[in-house]
Amino acid sequence: MEWYDFAIYGFLATIISVKFFPPGNETAALLNTFAIFAAAFFMRPLGGFFFGPLGDRLGRQRVLALVILLMSGSTLLIGLLPTYASAGVLSPLGLLLLRCLQGFSSGGEYGGGACYLAEFAPDRKRGLVVGFLVWSAVLGFLLGSITVTLLQAALPAGAMESYGWRIPFLLAGPLGFVGLYIRLRLDDTPAFAELTEADEVAASPLREAVTTAWAPILQVIGLMIIHNVGFYVVFTYLPTYFIKTLQFSKTASFVSITAASVVALVLILPLGALSDRIGRRPLLVTGAVGFAVLSYPAFLLLNSGSLACAIVAHCLLAAIEAVFVSVSLAVAAELFATRVRYSGLSIGYNVSVAVFGGTTPYVVTLLSARTGNAYVAGIYVAVAAVVSLAAVLTVRETAGRPLRTLGVTAPVTP
C-alpha cells in the first residue's frame, strides 16, 4: 500500500509537473515535481523519531495501523487537489503539504514492518520472512505502474492528462481501509509481548536508542545508502529517464519497469532464503560490489540507442538491487535489541532515505541537466555503493542467531 502510493507519484511525474506548476519550462517543472517528491522524504526522519519510540512503548501493531491510515488518507487527498490553472500557487503548496504528510507517516512504516516480521520469524528463516517486506515494496511499485499504464491505454486521448491522473490516487482510499482492517486484526509480536510481561519496556526508547545504540544506527544509515539510491534509481528515476532522456515511448518505459520489477520479485525471496543458509554478509558485499562495478556500464548500455539493450540494462540494475535489499532490512533489524529496535531502525533507515533516497531522482536529474552527462546517474550509484560497502564491512554476521540475543545488550561474534 505504502509503495503503491509512492510509486504512482513517480510514474505520473511528467503529468504532475504540468498540472501543479506554471507552464514554460518543462525541465524546471519536472525538477520541482521531484523536489516535492524529495520533500516527503525529509519528513521521514521526523516520522521515525515520532513513531519509532511510540512503537517501542505501545507496541508494533498499533503504530502500524495508524501509519497506513495516514498514508492512504494523504494519498487520497492528492487526487482531489485543484491544479495550478484553477488554484495558482495554492496547488503546489497543497501537494507539498500532503506529500510531507505521506513522508511523516511513512517514517513509521518501513522500520515498524521490518521489526514486526523479524520478531515473528523463526531464527532460521528470518532472512526469508523479512525479505517479504522489500518484496512487497517492489510489488507496490509494479502495481502502481500497471495501474497508470492501464488507465493510459483505456482512457480516451487526452483524458489521462485531464482527469485520469487522479484515479490512481483516489484508489488509495479503499485500499487503505482494507490495509487498516487487516492490521487491526493482527496480534503484536511475541518479542514485544515478552517485554511487556517482564515490565522491561523502555521508558524513553528514543533517548535509549540514541545513547546506547548509536553505532548500529550509523551502520544502518550506511547500509541503506545504496539500498535507497539503487531502489529509487531503478524504480522511480529510470521510468522517467526512458521517456525524457532516451526518448522512448511511454509503452517502452512501462515494458522496461515491468520487466525490471519482475526480475526483482523473482530474486528477492530466494536470495533472502539463501542468506539464512550462507549468511547475510556475502549477499551484502555482492550487491554493493555489483553496483560499484556495473552501474556505469549499465548506463552506457541504456544509452546505446537500442530499446532491447536499455531493457536489459534496467533488468541488470534491478537484479543487483535485489541481491542487496533481499537481506539489508533483516540485517538492520538484527542490529538492535528488542527494547529499542523500532526506534533505532526507524531513525537509521529514515535518516538515510531522507538524505540519499528521496533526493536521488532530483539530484541525478539536476546533475544530468547541469553537466549534460547522460551517465551521471550511473556514477552516482557507484559512489553510493562504495560508501555502503564500507558500512557492510563493519557489520558482523547475524544470520540464524536468536533475535533476543542480538543488539546492544549482547555482543555478537563473527
Side-chain angles (χ1 to χ4, degrees):
M1 177 65 220
E2 175 194 359
W3 295 105
Y4 166 85
D5 292 350
F6 268 70
I8 56 178
Y9 185 93
F11 292 128
L12 293 169
T14 53
I15 297 177
I16 290 172
S17 66
V18 174
K19 291 295 180 180
F20 288 91
F21 297 97
N25 188 328
E26 288 188 10
T27 299
L30 189 60
L31 282 170
N32 287 333
T33 303
F34 281 140
I36 288 182
F37 181 83
F41 287 83
F42 287 116
M43 292 297 294
R44 290 182 68 151
L46 296 180
F49 279 104
F50 178 79
F51 289 114
L54 206 61
D56 280 327
R57 286 202 308 269
L58 302 180
R60 287 54 164 134
Q61 179 265 349
R62 294 181 184 179
V63 174
L64 288 172
L66 174 60
V67 294
I68 197 171
L69 184 62
L70 291 174
M71 171 64 76
S72 58
S74 55
T75 305
L76 172 66
L77 290 175
I78 289 177
L80 299 174
L81 280 175
T83 64
Y84 187 88
S86 59
V89 71
L90 293 178
S91 178
L93 287 177
L95 181 63
L96 176 61
L97 176 63
L98 291 174
R99 283 290 298 166
C100 287
L101 182 57
Q102 277 188 325
F104 182 74
S105 61
S106 184
E109 171 70 30
Y110 219 42
C115 290
Y116 194 89
L117 292 176
E119 291 174 0
F120 261 115
D123 292 329
R124 294 293 177 183
K125 294 184 178 180
R126 200 160 51 238
L128 170 63
V129 173
V130 178
F132 270 95
L133 183 62
V134 185
W135 187 86
S136 70
V138 178
L139 182 62
F141 269 81
L142 180 59
L143 291 176
S145 172
I146 291 173
T147 300
V148 171
T149 303
L150 288 178
L151 285 171
Q152 289 172 333
L155 294 176
M160 195 66 186
E161 288 74 14
S162 175
Y163 64 86
W165 64 271
R166 297 182 183 274
I167 297 174
F169 292 103
L170 297 177
L171 289 175
L175 288 174
F177 280 115
V178 172
L180 178 62
Y181 173 78
I182 292 171
R183 291 190 179 189
L184 289 175
R185 294 175 63 86
L186 296 174
D187 294 324
D188 219 319
T189 68
F192 185 79
E194 288 180 11
L195 280 184
T196 303
E197 291 171 6
D199 197 24
E200 293 181 357
V201 174
S204 180
L206 179 59
R207 183 173 61 205
E208 186 172 328
V210 171
T211 56
T212 68
W214 58 268
I217 289 173
L218 291 177
Q219 287 175 314
V220 170
I221 291 173
L223 286 173
M224 293 303 162
I225 291 175
I226 191 57
H227 175 115
N228 288 303
V229 168
F231 199 93
Y232 288 100
V233 164
V234 172
F235 297 108
T236 299
Y237 175 71
L238 282 182
T240 302
Y241 186 82
F242 261 69
I243 298 169
K244 289 292 185 180
T245 302
L246 302 182
Q247 300 296 308
F248 292 127
S249 66
K250 290 181 180 179
T251 300
S253 177
F254 169 73
V255 170
S256 188
I257 188 60
T258 300
S261 298
V262 170
V263 166
L265 287 172
V266 168
L267 292 177
I268 286 172
L269 295 181
L271 289 170
L274 180 64
S275 77
D276 289 321
R277 300 185 61 183
I278 68 171
R280 320 282 192 233
R281 279 170 55 93
L283 292 175
L284 291 174
V285 170
T286 300
V289 171
F291 268 132
V293 173
L294 296 176
S295 292
Y296 188 78
F299 270 82
L300 292 176
L301 195 58
L302 278 165
N303 285 270
S304 65
S306 165
L307 176 59
C309 289
I311 293 174
V312 168
H314 198 171
C315 291
L316 172 63
L317 291 171
I320 299 171
E321 176 70 4
V323 174
F324 194 89
V325 301
S326 64
V327 295
S328 53
L329 276 178
V331 171
E334 290 167 338
L335 289 174
F336 298 96
T338 303
R339 285 168 59 91
V340 296
R341 182 169 293 119
Y342 203 145
S343 299
L345 179 50
S346 293
I347 293 168
Y349 176 82
N350 286 301
V351 167
S352 188
V353 77
V355 179
F356 303 103
T359 59
T360 293
Y362 180 86
V363 169
V364 294
T365 299
L366 180 62
L367 288 175
S368 180
R370 291 284 178 86
T371 65
N373 186 344
Y375 317 129
V376 70
I379 299 172
Y380 188 75
V381 172
V383 172
V386 172
V387 176
S388 284
L389 179 61
V392 168
L393 297 178
T394 69
V395 175
R396 296 177 178 179
E397 186 57 68
T398 52
R401 298 178 182 272
L403 194 63
R404 65 169 58 88
T405 68
L406 298 176
V408 295
T409 58
V412 286
T413 56

